[in-house]
């Protein structure tokens, strides 16, 4: 099984899907146990942080704030990548 396989239509891999669904336990597992690629970009050139920002507007009851914090502090994703676009997407002041 190729955990870094990117869907031909969306460009998402399992790491990006886990971020989109805000499944923090799965994100931690994929990072710690499988070395899944959280730096992948989807077909829209969105990274994990941008995906989390977009979906945090749609599914406000999920823990996107914790997901974003983990992506930056533990995985080490660069919050400066497309930071202006990410800030424009965010509606949650805690994420900003």
């Amino acid at each position: 099984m190729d955990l870094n396989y990117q869907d031909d239509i969306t460009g998402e891999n399992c790491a990006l899907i886990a971020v989109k669904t805000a499944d923090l336990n799965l994100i931690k597992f994929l990072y710690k146990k499988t070395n899944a690629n959280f730096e992948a970009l989807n077909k829209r050139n969105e990274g994990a942080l941008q995906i989390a920002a977009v979906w945090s507007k749609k599914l406000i009851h999920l823990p996107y704030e914790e997901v974003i914090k983990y992506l930056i502090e533990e995985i080490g994703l660069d919050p400066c990548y497309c930071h202006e676009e990410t800030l424009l997407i965010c509606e949650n002041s805690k994420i900003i």
Side-chain angles (χ1 to χ4, degrees):
M1 176 186 258
D2 182 3
L3 295 176
N4 290 316
Y5 169 79
Q6 290 186 266
D7 181 77
D8 293 333
I9 297 171
T10 64
E12 294 175 339
N13 64 6
C14 63
L16 297 181
I17 293 169
V19 168
K20 181 166 67 172
T21 59
D23 190 335
L24 191 55
N25 289 327
L26 181 56
I27 291 168
K28 289 178 180 181
F29 171 80
L30 290 170
Y31 177 67
K32 292 178 181 177
K33 302 292 184 187
T34 71
N35 294 319
N37 183 8
F38 284 89
E39 294 182 3
L41 300 177
N42 66 14
K43 294 283 184 175
R44 295 175 153 179
N45 284 327
E46 297 169 327
L49 294 172
Q50 290 75 37
I51 291 169
V54 167
W55 283 90
S56 70
K57 291 173 26 175
K58 298 176 183 180
L59 302 171
I60 59 173
H61 62 283
L62 294 178
Y64 287 100
E65 180 183 347
E66 293 175 46
V67 167
I68 290 172
K69 182 177 178 180
Y70 188 82
L71 292 172
I72 294 170
E73 293 180 359
E74 299 298 324
I75 296 177
L77 293 185
D78 182 6
C80 293
Y81 173 76
C82 292
H83 69 281
E84 291 175 358
E85 292 84 353
T86 306
L87 290 173
L88 289 172
I89 293 168
C90 285
E91 291 181 355
N92 183 338
S93 62
K94 291 181 181 178
I95 291 175
I96 296 172

